Amino acid sequence: MKIMICLLMGSLVVPVFGESYKPEWESLLNYEAPEWYEDAKLGFWVHWGVYSVPAFMGDHAGEWYGRWMYSKEGQSSRHNQGLAIHEHHKATYGDPSEFGYKDFIPMFKAEHFNAEEWADLCVEGGAKFFTMMGAHHDSFCLWDTKLSKWNSVNMGPKRDLVGEIEKAVRKKGLKFGVSNHTAWNYGFFQWNHINGYDAKDPAYEDLYGNPIVPEGLDKVTVRPEEQEGKGRWKWFDRSRNLIKPSERDLDRWLARTEELADMYKPDLYYFDWGMNPPEFESRRKEFAAHYYNNAVKFGQGEYGAPNVVLNYKNWKTFKPGSAVRDFERGGMDQIADMVWQTDDCVYNDHNWGYVPGVAIKPTNLIVDQLMDIISKRGVLMLSFAPKADGTFPEDQQVMMRELGAWLEVCGEAVYATRPYEVFGEVGDQWLEKDDYGRKKMTATCEDIRFTRNKENTVLYATFLDWPGEKAVIKTLAGADLSGIKSVKLLGKWRKPKWEVTEQGLEIQMPEKQPKHGMAYPIRIAFAGQVAAPSKK
């Protein structure tokens, strides 16, 4: 808690505030995640920047265009995945020695960007917070930074994109976050540095970084055996670490990271994995203390509960409990002791930035994913991909509105809820895994996810697919259900018939499904506390 002591100095009373955060784990562990965040459940996010201009993913990802455009034959991992972008760049724009990544900046104009329209889409989509891309690995800043000329106010759009959207979303009553991926800037342009393209010019070092580059790396290629099987992942990790950050890279990261926090006072600060290496540890702690202390200083919270969210991606990066852990396209298998976050994208696989003609996920899949996440005490931050001009593709707008329409009907089972004693019932198909070992989000009528209200008087059992004529909640078999007051299917006026059997709570479903056609929450209200599941 914040403690204020008044010292009498003559006729002057000077307030002296008590504890403040220090860049030490013992101090940073005095952190509690905010209730607004755990209540929110869903936030929107964007991947938007200079890479939205070429809008080409090749064999990897559109937002990694600036990395792979400089890579030559055999210089990228996983089946030479970067070569497609390199060849596309040469055919479309010219050799990287003639047309570098910096030359895309004047083409990034954001001429149709309207912050008010973006905020409206967030509200329509049911999001409770919005996270703006501050800068991706390319280090082109979308805010009015005073620390680098490579920003959207000096170049390209000639606008403070972060500042505009911050005002617009807060005006709508949403919380505001920023996303900062610049820690890996030193490594992102690795092949630019190694192959001696425009990164060798000191005039561009604030864009491309100042890494430590050992000699002879221009001869490094992928051995054939490393292109197949498990070896591809080993190479992928090594390809990130061929060069190292300099002290200037590290100091520059901290200065810009603090500036972004100071200027916009974000309620959430998201980091990608680039700050995971041990070289960043002292600066990670320094920033965390700075961010939490600022939140106290600006009245957002107090010591111990600063009321802001700091995300980290690797369990070694921050001590558990000192910040909020994030999982990229993944999550927890069970209910967690502390709120956590999944960051995911409307695109499948690796791509996050806008690429024309690439299909997005069905809204139904996003809803199923959301219910799985929140049943385990998680929050979903879902990324969209605007075009370079600042407009969202039509299919992404449709998804936002479909998601919002479902939440309009079923949001009671989502917002401000907490996990039940068990997260749900899992069907066989959900347990299947894809080629990367991740569980497939393929739900059937056997998949149920539980949430409850904070008062613990209402249980929501959400069937991720339509159960048919009869819904059976097997988790409640043998439980004391004598306190049930009512049972209702959200989205339908008429209350269904229900009975307690040896199989569990059985509910007679209506002939017609709710119009939304996605996950189906059943609201079970109790006269007292929600019944605990049987321990049999």
Side-chain angles (χ1 to χ4, degrees):
M1 298 295 289
K2 182 173 65 178
I3 304 171
M4 185 179 75
I5 306 170
C6 291
L7 299 180
L8 189 62
M9 298 176 63
S11 59
L12 179 64
V13 177
V14 180
V16 178
F17 291 92
E19 290 254 36
S20 61
Y21 288 96
K22 299 176 179 62
E24 303 164 359
W25 292 127
E26 185 179 0
S27 177
L28 296 174
L29 283 167
N30 291 293
Y31 171 78
E32 180 181 308
E35 186 174 23
W36 69 258
Y37 176 68
E38 194 161 0
D39 286 349
K41 306 303 182 190
L42 176 67
F44 286 171
W45 183 30
V46 289
H47 276 68
W48 187 46
V50 176
Y51 44 85
S52 306
V53 174
F56 181 80
M57 64 181 287
D59 296 323
H60 186 223
E63 71 282 0
W64 278 43
Y65 191 100
R67 177 175 178 80
W68 298 131
M69 63 175 276
Y70 293 105
S71 67
K72 297 179 180 180
E73 176 74 34
Q75 287 186 328
S76 58
S77 54
R78 294 202 298 113
H79 310 289
N80 214 14
Q81 65 180 352
L83 189 61
I85 288 178
H86 178 74
E87 296 296 339
H88 169 83
H89 186 82
K90 287 197 300 182
T92 309
Y93 303 102
D95 192 85
S97 61
E98 301 168 358
F99 190 107
Y101 189 75
K102 67 184 183 304
D103 297 307
F104 282 118
I105 294 174
M107 302 165 68
F108 177 51
K109 299 178 181 177
E111 62 269 30
H112 299 305
F113 169 63
N114 186 312
E116 297 289 339
E117 291 179 1
W118 280 31
D120 286 339
L121 281 170
C122 283
V123 173
E124 285 186 69
K128 298 300 182 183
F129 64 93
F130 177 81
T131 299
M132 179 60 175
M133 179 63 66
H136 204 256
H137 304 315
D138 61 4
S139 204
F140 184 76
C141 301
L142 303 189
W143 77 92
D144 189 15
T145 177
K146 305 301 185 290
L147 303 176
S148 170
K149 71 176 184 179
W150 301 97
N151 67 73
S152 64
V153 177
N154 290 342
M155 304 175 182
K158 303 288 182 70
R159 299 166 66 177
D160 181 357
L161 302 175
V162 173
E164 289 184 35
I165 194 65
E166 181 262 337
K167 291 181 177 63
V169 298
R170 283 192 161 142
K171 190 172 157 184
K172 297 289 182 182
L174 305 178
K175 296 291 186 178
F176 176 70
V178 292
S179 173
N180 185 341
H181 305 236
T182 59
W184 196 52
N185 175 247
Y186 74 91
F188 182 67
F189 289 108
Q190 172 174 282
W191 299 112
N192 190 352
H193 290 282
I194 290 173
N195 293 325
Y197 288 117
D198 51 345
K200 66 184 179 183
D201 189 333
Y204 308 133
E205 62 186 14
D206 265 354
L207 183 66
Y208 296 135
N210 302 83
I212 300 167
V213 184
E215 294 182 5
L217 291 184
D218 58 325
K219 304 298 191 296
V220 172
T221 58
V222 183
R223 295 196 300 271
E225 64 270 22
E226 288 179 317
Q227 296 184 12
E228 302 295 335
K230 294 181 180 179
R232 66 185 182 181
W233 292 111
K234 181 180 178 183
W235 170 257
F236 187 69
D237 290 339
R238 282 205 295 121
S239 74
R240 289 178 178 168
N241 299 316
L242 294 177
I243 60 182
K244 297 290 185 181
S246 66
E247 284 298 305
R248 187 177 187 279
D249 288 322
L250 297 169
D251 289 341
R252 183 183 64 162
W253 174 79
L254 179 60
R256 292 186 188 180
T257 299
E258 290 185 343
E259 182 196 54
L260 183 57
D262 295 346
M263 290 179 66
Y264 305 99
K265 304 175 182 59
D267 302 293
L268 179 147
Y269 208 124
Y270 170 89
F271 290 103
D272 207 11
W273 42 259
M275 66 169 184
N276 289 354
E279 293 94 334
F280 283 87
E281 181 167 347
S282 65
R283 291 167 178 86
R284 282 197 303 266
K285 292 189 288 187
E286 190 172 336
F287 173 73
H290 180 89
Y291 181 51
Y292 292 161
N293 285 331
N294 264 8
V296 176
K297 175 183 175 182
F298 297 134
Q300 291 168 276
E302 57 189 14
Y303 181 79
N307 206 34
V308 293
V309 177
L310 191 159
N311 291 138
Y312 69 100
K313 273 194 172 173
N314 185 299
W315 66 272
K316 293 181 180 179
T317 308
F318 276 81
K319 296 285 186 183
S322 63
V324 175
R325 188 172 178 186
D326 172 89
F327 297 82
E328 181 175 319
R329 296 189 188 269
M332 300 289 289
D333 286 335
Q334 298 295 327
I335 298 169
D337 293 333
M338 178 181 175
V339 65
W340 52 275
Q341 178 175 283
T342 288
D343 72 273
D344 207 340
C345 182
V346 296
Y347 290 122
N348 273 314
D349 200 26
H350 298 288
N351 191 60
W352 296 70
Y354 168 70
V355 175
V358 178
I360 64 172
K361 298 172 184 174
T363 310
N364 182 48
L365 184 64
I366 298 298
V367 170
D368 291 348
Q369 182 183 15
L370 173 65
M371 295 311 299
D372 182 62
I373 290 166
I374 70 172
S375 71
K376 300 166 185 172
R377 206 177 177 184
V379 172
L380 173 61
M381 188 168 75
L382 182 64
S383 181
F384 292 85
K387 299 177 183 179
D389 66 3
T391 61
F392 287 94
E394 183 61 28
D395 59 348
Q396 295 183 34
Q397 294 188 46
V398 169
M399 174 191 277
M400 291 182 204
R401 294 187 174 105
E402 288 178 347
L403 183 55
W406 182 82
L407 285 163
E408 185 70 27
V409 174
C410 302
E412 182 184 341
V414 178
Y415 302 125
T417 59
R418 295 295 182 267
Y420 182 47
E421 294 188 32
V422 295
F423 73 83
E425 298 178 17
V426 181
D428 291 338
Q429 288 191 38
W430 190 277
L431 297 176
E432 293 178 3
K433 294 184 178 181
D434 63 15
D435 294 339
Y436 299 96
R438 299 172 300 200
K439 290 180 181 176
K440 291 182 179 179
M441 298 294 176
T442 306
T444 70
C445 59
E446 296 179 352
D447 287 288
I448 306 172
R449 296 297 180 269
F450 297 116
T451 52
R452 60 172 178 81
N453 66 354
K454 287 193 281 189
E455 294 76 21
N456 197 33
T457 57
V458 177
L459 175 67
Y460 301 95
T462 301
F463 285 77
L464 302 188
D465 198 7
W466 184 247
E469 295 181 2
K470 183 171 64 176
V472 182
I473 304 173
K474 299 175 184 177
T475 299
L476 298 179
D480 180 6
L481 303 180
S482 59
I484 292 180
K485 287 198 308 181
S486 64
V487 176
K488 183 182 184 303
L489 174 65
L490 297 184
K492 287 289 184 179
W493 290 102
R494 188 172 297 175
K495 294 179 180 179
K497 295 180 180 179
W498 57 275
E499 62 178 331
V500 178
T501 70
E502 290 183 359
Q503 282 68 46
L505 180 63
E506 298 189 8
I507 302 137
Q508 195 69 35
M509 303 298 280
E511 292 183 7
K512 292 184 178 180
Q513 303 177 28
K515 292 180 181 179
H516 57 70
M518 292 184 274
Y520 307 93
I522 294 174
R523 182 184 192 274
I524 307 164
F526 287 79
Q529 296 290 284
V530 170
S534 173
K535 295 183 179 180
K536 291 182 180 179

